[in-house]
Amino acid sequence: MRLHRLSITAFGPFADTQEVDFDTLCAAGIFLLHGATGAGKTSVLDAVCYALYDAVPGARQLKGGAAKDASLRSDHAPAGTYTEVQLELTLGGRRLEITRRPAQTRPKKRGTGVTTEKAQSLLREYDTPSTGWRALSRSHQEIGEEIGQLLGMSREQFCQVVLLPQGDFARFLRADAEARGKLLGRLFDTRRFAAVEDRLAELRRGAEQQVRAGDERLLGVAQRIAQASGAGGEQPLPTQHPGDPGLAPAVLEWAAVARSTAYERADIAESALAGAESRQAAARRLLDSTRELARLQQRFADGQRRAEALEARRPQYEAARDRLERARKADRVAPALALREDAERAHRTAAAALDRARARLPAELTDTGADHLSALERKMIEELGRVDAARGAERRSAEISRERAELDRQARADEELLADAAGWLADWDATRRGHQERIETGQEAATRAEQLAGQLEPARGQLGAARARDALETRAAASRSLLNSARQRANDAKETWLDLRERRLRGIAAELAAGLVAGEPCAVCGSADHPAPARPGAGQVDQAAEDAAFAASRGAEEAVAAAEREHASVREEFAAARSTAGGSTVAELAALTERLGREHAEAHRLAAGTHAAREALARAEREREDRLTAQQSAEKRVAARTSRREALDSEQTVLESDLVRARGDAGSVAAHAELLADRARLLAEAADAVRDVDTTAQRLKDGDDRLADAAFRAGFDTPRDAAAAMLSEVEQRGLTHRMDDWQAGAATVADRLAESDARDAAERPPAGLDAALMSYETAEAALRAASSALDEARGRSAQLAGLSGQAEEEVRRLGPLRTEYEKVARLAALTAGTSTDNDRKMRLESYVLAARLEQVAAAATARLLRMSSGRYTLVHSDARGGGGKRSGLGLHVVDSWTGSARDTATLSGGETFFVSLALALGLADVVTDEAGGARLDTLFIDEGFGSLDDQTLDEVLDVLDSLRERDRSVGIVSHVADLRRRIPTQLEVTKSRRGSTVSLRTGGTDG
């Protein structure tokens, strides 16, 4: 892979379109990418990664599409500029161009607001100069698959081997085996080996679960055997747990013993049942004979008691017989008695009605006959007919009165309406002028509010600028003071370094003499004799002191540069704020802003009432029209109402003269008619009552005569005696039933006392029923217990036989499962590094990664030897880690000066850098070869050079420069100022308030 050109627009810190000519940069072999902190050096690398993989490196990648795309857009870019990255490169011998646009918002073409543009991707290929570029795809997925196949590595691998992050490799050197395993696993994609471990572990767990489940089922059968046999206390269950190899034989042996014990108990229970059956049969026969004797004795005794009771009830029987005979004679008198009672009731009712009617009649009519009362009733009815004719006139008079009342009510309502309308219309001119004045005031206030709004916003901006101006003036003075202090410290540090350097050069002879060894040639003159080596003088300065002073001087210079940038930024902001604020003070501008705000708020409040005033005026005008219309209608109704009232008065005068005669002494015609109707009704009722009394008196006399004759013929002295002897049908049936019951009881008792077996049983001693029953119940309980014991014993034997068969079946099923489990468990333990057969305790994935790490260490050593002048060698170690940690991923550095090997975590800062750089370069080679992808002609190294001394830096740069032998180019991302002098080809990133820009420098010229 070789990069040619990168175009960045509105991406990260870059607001405008920036072009990076990688052809010019890579032609030098080594180029430097530098700039101030936050300028966007890393964003250039992010753009390369985004163009290839549609995503930035993992450490800066956000989750979520919208959040990710929003993080890519530059905050400095104008709203109409699209975020876009375009990369031109050669990949797999093909010249390609990739264009990426993330999803982003843009202003709508019509109306206000924004709309979201979808993410876009474009892949083109350069064919020939004649045909030019040819579009290949616009699909994100197709482009990703095409680039992935040509590169042969994932985004994580690309970021690790092309964009070499030195901080990651420094942590890799100091990390433990677990952390190294995670990084190597991502780069070499050893997930399939981890998947093998997981699959074997899963199979082991599944097989173990099946074996444990089978053992649990077997123990469950054993528990059921223990419950069925009831022998848990005599012989306890096996002590093995699920998963133990000896569980199955122990359960089978235990089940066989329980089954044999149950068979013996069944035989014993069968013998006990035979004895209990014979004893129960004898007790049953004795109980039956005793019960029969007791029954006969009780039967004879009951017969005697019932005979005595019947004899005591004989007088009652004879009295009931006599009473029943008299009642049957009296039944012949019953019809005449009923007729006489009906006539008596009718006569009493008629007499009571006559008394009530006479009580309501006038005193002079109390003893009047029925014919005279009927004649008076007819006269009343004739008078009532004459009165009914006047009822229509009375109803019409009432209607006229109600209509006049309604006319009076309407007249009062119209008078109130006319008075209210006249009062309201009298104030109309003043009301209309008030509304018009409110409208004019609101319109003037709206104009005033617009003028004040145009003055208020600039005043607020000027006030904010004045406040910022005063604050920035203080900051500018402080930054000036800090800058002067930093410059003074830088001058002092530089003088100290130059003084120490000069003093060291003066004593360099003594420093060289300190390294002379007798018999070995001098590094300066080559002589093996050293007759008078120089001695260190007072205040001798060594290289460490000079390096420390130089580092302090460089740090002070960087502090001066930072202070200068800070001071320039503050001064620029101060000048902008002062220009905006003008010459006014903050207090003056605050007072002006407050006054304009109050006036604007008041004008806005008045202007807001304009619409309400217009609405109020329109409502008032509509109300005036409504009131005028209502006034005219009321005046017309008043005129019509006067004519109607006069007509009603005339009609009512004519009607009243006729009604005075029809009312009589009553208050109204209806009351007079009701009085006449009541009198006619009373007279009719009184006449009917007199006739009913005469009729019922004759019926009562006839009834007395017939009753006396019927009583004499039935044999009674008087009708009263016949009535006393009468009984109802229910009473007669009751007497008949009592007599029949006494006769039937007497016959039954006589039959029972005549039985010979009952009489003979009564002569014998009383039967001992309780003793016989107790003896039988004891024998019966013993029989039931023996039968239950036998059934239980037989059931246990049958259940134990079935459960033993189940246990044997479970054992047969467990055989293959346990064999499979043992085989899978051995494989899982071996791949997981827990088996005794695995001496190194290395997992399968660790074993594969260890082989890859060994290749990486060998590739890294080839460059590390040159960087360290042949001193250091990087070797892989598969020694076991302590505390149960993963083994096989150790890294050691062998120091050829001492011949000892030490862990990479003990390296110093500078040593860590060039060792990690060598490791990164070696890893890039191994990953590229492993992936079988495209050749990587461009690499980037991010930071770490500031920890090297001059000599080591030269050696590292020589190694990087040697990469050109393989037609590779290396881009170094660094802040180190010394690299700017050593590397002439540079890509500088400069930041400003309007966004960052890039510029190309080759050999001291700007490009």
Side-chain angles (χ1 to χ4, degrees):
M1 181 194 74
R2 177 175 293 277
L3 305 180
H4 300 295
R5 181 184 59 84
L6 175 67
S7 175
I8 309 173
T9 303
F11 182 88
F14 305 106
D16 302 325
T17 300
Q18 303 295 317
E19 297 281 347
V20 179
D21 185 1
F22 280 111
D23 285 335
T24 303
L25 293 172
C26 295
I30 299 178
F31 60 91
L32 178 65
L33 177 58
H34 69 94
T37 301
K41 301 184 298 298
T42 307
S43 296
V44 175
L45 308 184
D46 291 348
V48 174
C49 183
Y50 178 70
L52 292 172
Y53 292 98
D54 196 21
V56 296
R60 296 178 291 280
Q61 178 74 12
L62 293 177
K63 293 182 179 179
K68 177 191 74 172
D69 295 338
S71 68
L72 300 177
R73 181 166 178 79
S74 174
D75 296 332
H76 303 281
T81 302
Y82 288 104
T83 299
E84 181 179 280
V85 174
Q86 189 178 77
L87 178 64
E88 185 180 338
L89 73 164
T90 296
L91 191 60
R94 299 166 61 185
R95 185 76 170 239
L96 301 175
E97 180 189 76
I98 308 171
T99 303
R100 302 275 193 183
R101 278 189 182 181
Q104 53 197 294
T105 59
R106 64 166 177 80
K108 292 183 177 179
K109 297 180 179 179
R110 296 181 180 178
T112 60
V114 296
T115 184
T116 302
E117 289 279 353
K118 295 183 178 179
Q120 300 179 18
S121 297
L122 174 63
L123 178 63
R124 299 198 303 172
E125 183 177 5
Y126 187 81
D127 283 345
T128 61
S130 59
T131 58
W133 292 96
R134 175 174 56 89
L136 296 180
S137 176
R138 291 183 177 273
S139 169
H140 301 293
Q141 183 177 0
E142 291 179 359
I143 295 174
E145 292 175 356
E146 182 72 14
I147 298 301
Q149 291 177 1
L150 292 175
L151 279 174
M153 62 182 72
S154 64
R155 176 170 59 89
E156 290 78 8
Q157 291 174 321
F158 177 83
C159 295
Q160 202 71 43
V161 303
V162 177
L163 311 178
L164 303 178
Q166 294 308 298
D168 288 354
F169 283 99
R171 287 190 295 272
F172 180 81
L173 291 175
R174 296 186 175 91
D176 56 9
E178 291 292 337
R180 288 174 182 165
K182 292 179 180 179
L183 175 61
L184 294 173
R186 289 197 305 269
L187 294 177
F188 292 105
D189 193 15
T190 57
R191 289 175 296 181
R192 58 188 184 278
F193 301 104
V196 170
E197 297 179 23
D198 295 340
R199 179 57 179 164
L200 287 174
E202 182 180 355
L203 291 175
R204 179 190 59 77
R205 288 191 298 268
E208 182 181 8
Q209 185 177 1
Q210 290 181 346
V211 171
R212 186 176 295 274
D215 286 347
E216 289 177 353
R217 290 195 301 271
L218 183 61
L219 282 178
V221 174
Q223 291 285 354
R224 291 168 61 190
I225 291 175
Q227 294 175 0
S229 64
E234 300 175 5
Q235 184 180 6
L237 285 168
T239 58
Q240 288 84 350
H241 299 285
D244 294 346
L247 177 63
V251 170
L252 292 178
E253 180 180 357
W254 179 85
V257 174
R259 191 169 60 251
S260 300
T261 303
Y263 290 157
E264 293 176 359
R265 289 181 177 178
D267 294 340
I268 295 172
E270 189 173 0
S271 300
L273 177 62
E277 287 177 345
S278 61
R279 290 189 294 272
Q280 187 266 352
R284 179 67 186 180
R285 291 191 296 271
L286 175 62
L287 177 62
D288 291 342
S289 62
T290 304
R291 280 179 174 171
E292 181 63 18
L293 177 62
R295 184 185 69 79
L296 293 174
Q297 289 177 348
Q298 182 65 33
R299 183 178 180 82
F300 189 80
D302 291 343
Q304 288 180 333
R305 286 193 299 272
R306 293 182 63 184
E308 294 173 356
L310 288 171
E311 190 64 26
R313 289 167 51 198
R314 181 179 291 276
Q316 298 175 2
Y317 165 74
E318 294 177 351
R321 183 182 58 188
D322 294 342
R323 186 180 177 189
L324 181 61
E325 290 178 356
R326 286 178 59 83
R328 287 174 178 172
K329 291 179 180 181
D331 287 343
R332 296 194 292 270
V333 185
L337 182 60
L339 290 173
R340 196 268 175 191
E341 290 176 350
D342 291 342
E344 184 179 10
R345 282 194 299 271
H347 182 64
R348 284 197 302 269
T349 302
L354 178 60
D355 291 341
R356 289 193 300 271
R358 285 176 175 175
R360 292 182 289 175
L361 290 174
E364 63 272 12
L365 298 178
T366 302
D367 297 329
T368 304
D371 295 338
H372 183 60
L373 292 174
S374 298
L376 292 176
E377 177 194 0
R378 287 191 294 273
K379 291 181 180 180
M380 291 292 177
I381 292 174
E382 292 174 358
E383 180 66 18
L384 181 61
R386 289 191 297 271
V387 172
D388 285 339
R391 286 188 176 184
E394 185 179 41
R395 286 193 295 271
R396 176 56 187 162
S397 179
E399 291 175 358
I400 291 173
S401 299
R402 288 194 296 273
E403 188 173 354
R404 289 184 62 186
E406 177 62 22
L407 290 174
D408 294 340
R409 186 191 63 77
Q410 293 176 1
R412 289 192 298 272
D414 285 340
E415 289 173 359
E416 293 176 359
L417 187 148
L418 289 171
D420 181 56
W424 191 91
L425 292 171
D427 297 334
W428 164 245
D429 293 335
T431 301
R432 180 174 57 186
R433 283 194 302 273
H435 289 311
Q436 289 175 346
E437 289 174 358
R438 285 181 57 195
I439 294 172
E440 293 172 357
T441 302
Q443 291 173 345
E444 294 174 357
T447 303
R448 177 63 176 162
E450 292 179 1
Q451 295 173 352
L452 291 173
Q455 299 173 12
L456 181 59
E457 191 60 31
R460 286 175 176 169
Q462 198 173 4
L463 175 60
R467 288 172 175 165
R469 175 198 62 195
D470 295 347
L472 290 170
E473 186 175 7
T474 304
R475 285 181 56 195
S479 64
R480 165 60 66 182
S481 177
L482 292 174
L483 176 59
N484 294 335
S485 300
R487 285 174 176 171
Q488 183 62 40
R489 289 193 296 271
N491 292 333
D492 295 342
K494 189 168 185 179
E495 290 178 0
T496 301
W497 170 59
L498 293 175
D499 180 59
L500 291 177
R501 183 177 180 84
E502 185 178 357
R503 289 166 54 190
R504 182 183 173 221
L505 291 175
R506 288 198 302 268
I508 194 66
E511 183 178 340
L512 294 174
L516 294 176
V517 179
E520 294 184 3
C522 176
V524 179
C525 63
S527 173
D529 297 329
H530 317 298
R535 301 295 180 184
Q540 177 69 34
V541 178
D542 56 5
Q543 184 178 357
E546 181 187 354
D547 292 343
F550 176 73
S553 176
R554 293 300 299 275
E557 289 178 356
E558 292 178 357
V560 170
E564 288 176 346
R565 289 192 297 272
E566 176 66 20
H567 181 63
S569 176
V570 172
R571 284 182 59 82
E572 182 180 353
E573 294 178 7
F574 171 70
R578 183 174 58 185
S579 175
T580 303
S584 301
T585 64
V586 172
E588 293 172 348
L589 292 172
L592 175 62
T593 303
E594 183 178 2
R595 178 178 62 79
L596 291 174
R598 289 196 305 271
E599 293 178 358
H600 179 265
E602 179 63 19
H604 187 271
R605 183 185 65 79
L606 293 174
T610 303
H611 180 72
R614 287 196 178 97
E615 291 290 332
L617 177 58
R619 288 196 300 270
E621 290 176 345
R622 289 193 297 272
E623 184 176 1
R624 176 176 176 271
E625 294 296 329
D626 294 342
R627 287 181 180 270
L628 287 173
T629 303
Q631 187 181 39
Q632 295 172 359
S633 299
E635 290 174 351
K636 293 177 181 179
R637 289 195 299 272
V638 168
R641 197 179 299 113
T642 301
S643 301
R644 180 59 179 168
R645 185 182 288 108
E646 293 174 352
L648 292 174
D649 290 345
S650 267
E651 184 180 359
Q652 192 170 34
T653 301
V654 174
L655 291 173
E656 283 297 325
S657 61
D658 297 334
L659 291 175
V660 169
R661 294 189 300 271
R663 290 193 190 101
D665 296 333
S668 64
V669 174
H672 191 198
E674 186 177 358
L675 179 61
L676 291 175
D678 289 342
R679 288 176 180 178
R681 186 171 58 258
L682 290 176
L683 291 172
E685 290 176 355
D688 292 339
V690 170
R691 294 187 184 95
D692 289 343
V693 169
D694 294 340
T695 302
T696 55
Q698 184 60 41
R699 286 179 58 197
L700 180 59
K701 182 179 179 302
D702 294 341
D704 288 339
D705 294 343
R706 285 194 294 269
L707 178 60
D709 183 63
F712 177 77
R713 286 197 300 270
F716 293 98
D717 295 336
T718 63
R720 186 180 300 275
D721 294 339
M726 293 180 69
L727 293 176
S728 66
E729 184 179 356
V730 175
E731 291 175 332
Q732 290 183 19
R733 284 200 303 272
L735 290 174
T736 302
H737 290 328
R738 287 199 296 272
M739 292 170 61
D740 293 344
D741 290 344
W742 189 90
Q743 292 174 355
T748 302
V749 168
D751 293 342
R752 182 171 295 182
L753 293 177
E755 294 176 352
S756 60
D757 54 350
R759 190 169 54 252
D760 295 342
E763 294 174 358
R764 296 174 61 183
L769 184 60
D770 293 340
L773 181 61
M774 184 178 297
S775 176
Y776 172 74
E777 290 177 350
T778 301
E780 182 69 18
L783 176 61
R784 286 196 300 270
S787 178
S788 299
L790 178 59
D791 292 341
E792 181 180 1
R794 289 174 177 174
R796 284 179 178 177
S797 299
Q799 189 175 5
L800 288 175
L803 292 174
S804 298
Q806 292 182 19
E808 294 173 357
E809 180 63 24
E810 291 294 341
V811 171
R812 284 194 295 272
R813 291 180 185 174
L814 273 174
L817 293 178
R818 188 174 295 280
T819 302
E820 179 68 18
Y821 165 69
E822 292 173 353
K823 179 175 66 175
V824 173
R826 284 195 302 271
L827 286 175
L830 183 65
T831 58
T834 59
S835 173
T836 56
D837 298 333
N838 192 334
D839 296 334
R840 294 289 182 183
K841 301 301 180 184
M842 291 176 63
R843 291 169 42 192
L844 177 62
E845 184 183 14
S846 299
Y847 180 79
V848 176
L849 291 177
R852 297 292 184 268
L853 184 59
E854 188 173 5
Q855 296 174 359
V856 171
T861 298
R863 294 181 174 85
L864 182 59
L865 287 172
R866 293 186 59 185
M867 293 182 187
S868 62
S869 301
R871 179 179 178 183
Y872 293 121
T873 302
L874 193 63
V875 297
H876 160 253
S877 172
D878 58 359
R880 292 181 58 182
K885 294 183 178 179
R886 180 187 292 190
S887 62
L889 298 179
L891 276 178
H892 289 169
V893 172
V894 178
D895 190 346
S896 62
W897 290 5
T898 62
S900 62
R902 55 193 174 108
D903 193 89
T904 54
T906 62
L907 295 172
S908 64
E911 292 171 339
T912 299
F913 169 70
F914 64 73
V915 171
S916 64
L917 178 58
L919 181 67
L921 295 173
L923 183 63
D925 293 339
V926 175
V927 170
T928 304
D929 295 340
E930 173 70 16
R935 170 185 171 85
L936 302 179
D937 298 323
T938 307
L939 302 177
F940 295 92
I941 302 173
D942 192 358
E943 288 300 343
F945 292 89
S947 60
L948 304 179
D949 56 49
D950 293 342
Q951 181 179 355
T952 306
L953 181 59
D954 290 337
E955 293 171 347
V956 169
L957 292 177
D958 289 342
V959 172
L960 295 178
D961 190 58
S962 67
L963 294 176
R964 283 191 289 181
E965 299 173 1
R966 301 177 62 182
D967 198 19
R968 281 186 174 183
S969 58
V970 179
I972 298 175
V973 183
S974 178
H975 293 88
V976 178
D978 194 33
L979 289 175
R980 303 178 194 174
R981 295 189 294 270
R982 295 172 180 262
I983 303 176
T985 303
Q986 303 173 11
L987 182 65
E988 183 178 8
V989 184
T990 306
K991 67 178 180 179
S992 67
R993 295 168 59 92
R994 293 178 297 276
S996 299
T997 57
V998 297
S999 57
L1000 178 62
R1001 302 176 184 274
T1002 58
T1005 62
D1006 296 344

Short mmCIF file of all heavy atoms in Angstrom, two decimals, residues 809-831:
data_model
loop_
_atom_site.label_atom_id
_atom_site.label_comp_id
_atom_site.label_asym_id
_atom_site.label_seq_id
_atom_site.Cartn_x
_atom_site.Cartn_y
_atom_site.Cartn_z
N GLU A 809 -31.36 -49.69 34.75
CA GLU A 809 -31.45 -49.01 33.46
C GLU A 809 -30.67 -47.69 33.48
O GLU A 809 -29.98 -47.35 32.51
CB GLU A 809 -32.92 -48.75 33.12
CG GLU A 809 -33.15 -48.04 31.80
CD GLU A 809 -32.68 -48.87 30.61
OE1 GLU A 809 -32.61 -50.12 30.75
OE2 GLU A 809 -32.37 -48.27 29.56
N GLU A 810 -30.76 -46.94 34.60
CA GLU A 810 -30.01 -45.69 34.72
C GLU A 810 -28.52 -45.95 34.68
O GLU A 810 -27.74 -45.19 34.08
CB GLU A 810 -30.40 -44.96 36.02
CG GLU A 810 -31.80 -44.39 36.04
CD GLU A 810 -31.99 -43.28 35.03
OE1 GLU A 810 -30.99 -42.72 34.57
OE2 GLU A 810 -33.15 -43.00 34.67
N VAL A 811 -28.07 -47.02 35.32
CA VAL A 811 -26.63 -47.35 35.33
C VAL A 811 -26.18 -47.68 33.92
O VAL A 811 -25.09 -47.28 33.48
CB VAL A 811 -26.37 -48.51 36.30
CG1 VAL A 811 -24.93 -49.01 36.14
CG2 VAL A 811 -26.61 -48.05 37.73
N ARG A 812 -27.01 -48.43 33.13
CA ARG A 812 -26.63 -48.75 31.75
C ARG A 812 -26.55 -47.48 30.90
O ARG A 812 -25.69 -47.34 30.04
CB ARG A 812 -27.66 -49.74 31.16
CG ARG A 812 -27.50 -51.16 31.65
CD ARG A 812 -28.29 -52.12 30.79
NE ARG A 812 -29.72 -51.87 30.89
CZ ARG A 812 -30.52 -52.42 31.80
NH1 ARG A 812 -30.02 -53.26 32.71
NH2 ARG A 812 -31.81 -52.15 31.81
N ARG A 813 -27.46 -46.54 31.11
CA ARG A 813 -27.42 -45.29 30.36
C ARG A 813 -26.18 -44.46 30.71
O ARG A 813 -25.61 -43.78 29.85
CB ARG A 813 -28.66 -44.45 30.66
CG ARG A 813 -29.95 -45.02 30.12
CD ARG A 813 -31.10 -44.10 30.50
NE ARG A 813 -32.39 -44.65 30.12
CZ ARG A 813 -33.57 -44.07 30.45
NH1 ARG A 813 -33.57 -42.96 31.14
NH2 ARG A 813 -34.69 -44.63 30.06
N LEU A 814 -25.78 -44.50 31.98
CA LEU A 814 -24.67 -43.66 32.43
C LEU A 814 -23.32 -44.13 31.90
O LEU A 814 -22.38 -43.34 31.83
CB LEU A 814 -24.61 -43.64 33.96
CG LEU A 814 -25.48 -42.59 34.65
CD1 LEU A 814 -25.45 -42.77 36.15
CD2 LEU A 814 -24.98 -41.21 34.29
N GLY A 815 -23.20 -45.40 31.52
CA GLY A 815 -21.91 -45.91 31.07
C GLY A 815 -21.32 -45.13 29.91
O GLY A 815 -20.22 -44.56 30.01
N PRO A 816 -22.00 -45.02 28.77
CA PRO A 816 -21.44 -44.24 27.64
C PRO A 816 -21.27 -42.76 27.97
O PRO A 816 -20.31 -42.13 27.51
CB PRO A 816 -22.48 -44.45 26.53
CG PRO A 816 -23.25 -45.65 26.91
CD PRO A 816 -23.27 -45.69 28.40
N LEU A 817 -22.19 -42.20 28.75
CA LEU A 817 -22.07 -40.77 29.09
C LEU A 817 -20.82 -40.50 29.90
O LEU A 817 -20.11 -39.51 29.67
CB LEU A 817 -23.31 -40.31 29.87
CG LEU A 817 -24.64 -40.30 29.09
CD1 LEU A 817 -25.77 -39.87 30.00
CD2 LEU A 817 -24.55 -39.36 27.89
N ARG A 818 -20.53 -41.35 30.87
CA ARG A 818 -19.35 -41.15 31.70
C ARG A 818 -18.07 -41.33 30.88
O ARG A 818 -17.09 -40.60 31.05
CB ARG A 818 -19.38 -42.11 32.89
CG ARG A 818 -18.28 -41.84 33.91
CD ARG A 818 -18.45 -42.71 35.13
NE ARG A 818 -19.66 -42.40 35.86
CZ ARG A 818 -19.78 -41.38 36.70
NH1 ARG A 818 -18.73 -40.58 36.90
NH2 ARG A 818 -20.89 -41.16 37.33
N THR A 819 -18.07 -42.30 29.95
CA THR A 819 -16.89 -42.49 29.09
C THR A 819 -16.66 -41.25 28.22
O THR A 819 -15.53 -40.76 28.08
CB THR A 819 -17.10 -43.73 28.21
OG1 THR A 819 -17.31 -44.87 29.03
CG2 THR A 819 -15.89 -43.97 27.32
N GLU A 820 -17.75 -40.71 27.63
CA GLU A 820 -17.63 -39.50 26.80
C GLU A 820 -17.17 -38.31 27.63
O GLU A 820 -16.34 -37.51 27.18
CB GLU A 820 -18.98 -39.20 26.15
CG GLU A 820 -19.00 -37.95 25.27
CD GLU A 820 -18.16 -38.12 24.01
OE1 GLU A 820 -17.84 -39.29 23.67
OE2 GLU A 820 -17.82 -37.09 23.38
N TYR A 821 -17.70 -38.19 28.84
CA TYR A 821 -17.31 -37.07 29.71
C TYR A 821 -15.82 -37.12 30.05
O TYR A 821 -15.12 -36.11 30.01
CB TYR A 821 -18.15 -37.09 30.98
CG TYR A 821 -17.59 -36.22 32.07
CD1 TYR A 821 -17.58 -34.83 31.94
CD2 TYR A 821 -17.03 -36.78 33.22
CE1 TYR A 821 -17.05 -34.02 32.94
CE2 TYR A 821 -16.49 -35.98 34.21
CZ TYR A 821 -16.51 -34.61 34.07
OH TYR A 821 -15.98 -33.81 35.05
N GLU A 822 -15.31 -38.30 30.39
CA GLU A 822 -13.89 -38.41 30.75
C GLU A 822 -13.00 -38.03 29.57
O GLU A 822 -11.98 -37.36 29.73
CB GLU A 822 -13.60 -39.84 31.23
CG GLU A 822 -14.28 -40.17 32.55
CD GLU A 822 -14.11 -41.62 32.92
OE1 GLU A 822 -13.58 -42.40 32.06
OE2 GLU A 822 -14.50 -42.02 34.04
N LYS A 823 -13.40 -38.42 28.33
CA LYS A 823 -12.59 -38.09 27.16
C LYS A 823 -12.62 -36.59 26.89
O LYS A 823 -11.57 -35.95 26.68
CB LYS A 823 -13.13 -38.86 25.95
CG LYS A 823 -12.37 -38.57 24.65
CD LYS A 823 -12.86 -39.45 23.52
CE LYS A 823 -14.31 -39.12 23.17
NZ LYS A 823 -14.79 -39.88 21.99
N VAL A 824 -13.80 -35.96 26.92
CA VAL A 824 -13.92 -34.53 26.66
C VAL A 824 -13.24 -33.73 27.76
O VAL A 824 -12.60 -32.71 27.50
CB VAL A 824 -15.41 -34.14 26.52
CG1 VAL A 824 -15.57 -32.62 26.42
CG2 VAL A 824 -16.01 -34.79 25.29
N ALA A 825 -13.37 -34.18 29.01
CA ALA A 825 -12.76 -33.45 30.13
C ALA A 825 -11.24 -33.43 30.00
O ALA A 825 -10.59 -32.42 30.30
CB ALA A 825 -13.19 -34.08 31.45
N ARG A 826 -10.64 -34.54 29.53
CA ARG A 826 -9.18 -34.56 29.36
C ARG A 826 -8.76 -33.57 28.28
O ARG A 826 -7.78 -32.82 28.44
CB ARG A 826 -8.72 -35.98 28.99
CG ARG A 826 -8.71 -36.95 30.16
CD ARG A 826 -7.91 -38.20 29.83
NE ARG A 826 -8.43 -38.90 28.66
CZ ARG A 826 -9.37 -39.83 28.69
NH1 ARG A 826 -9.90 -40.19 29.85
NH2 ARG A 826 -9.77 -40.43 27.58
N LEU A 827 -9.51 -33.52 27.15
CA LEU A 827 -9.17 -32.58 26.08
C LEU A 827 -9.36 -31.13 26.54
O LEU A 827 -8.53 -30.26 26.25
CB LEU A 827 -10.05 -32.86 24.85
CG LEU A 827 -9.70 -34.12 24.05
CD1 LEU A 827 -10.73 -34.32 22.95
CD2 LEU A 827 -8.30 -34.03 23.45
N ALA A 828 -10.47 -30.84 27.23
CA ALA A 828 -10.74 -29.48 27.69
C ALA A 828 -9.67 -29.02 28.67
O ALA A 828 -9.19 -27.88 28.62
CB ALA A 828 -12.12 -29.39 28.32
N ALA A 829 -9.28 -29.88 29.59
CA ALA A 829 -8.24 -29.51 30.56
C ALA A 829 -6.90 -29.28 29.86
O ALA A 829 -6.13 -28.40 30.23
CB ALA A 829 -8.12 -30.60 31.62
N LEU A 830 -6.62 -30.08 28.82
CA LEU A 830 -5.35 -29.92 28.10
C LEU A 830 -5.32 -28.57 27.37
O LEU A 830 -4.32 -27.84 27.44
CB LEU A 830 -5.18 -31.08 27.11
CG LEU A 830 -3.86 -31.10 26.33
CD1 LEU A 830 -2.69 -31.31 27.27
CD2 LEU A 830 -3.88 -32.22 25.27
N THR A 831 -6.40 -28.22 26.67
CA THR A 831 -6.41 -26.94 25.94
C THR A 831 -6.53 -25.74 26.87
O THR A 831 -6.10 -24.64 26.54
CB THR A 831 -7.58 -26.92 24.95
OG1 THR A 831 -8.81 -27.12 25.66
CG2 THR A 831 -7.41 -27.99 23.90
#
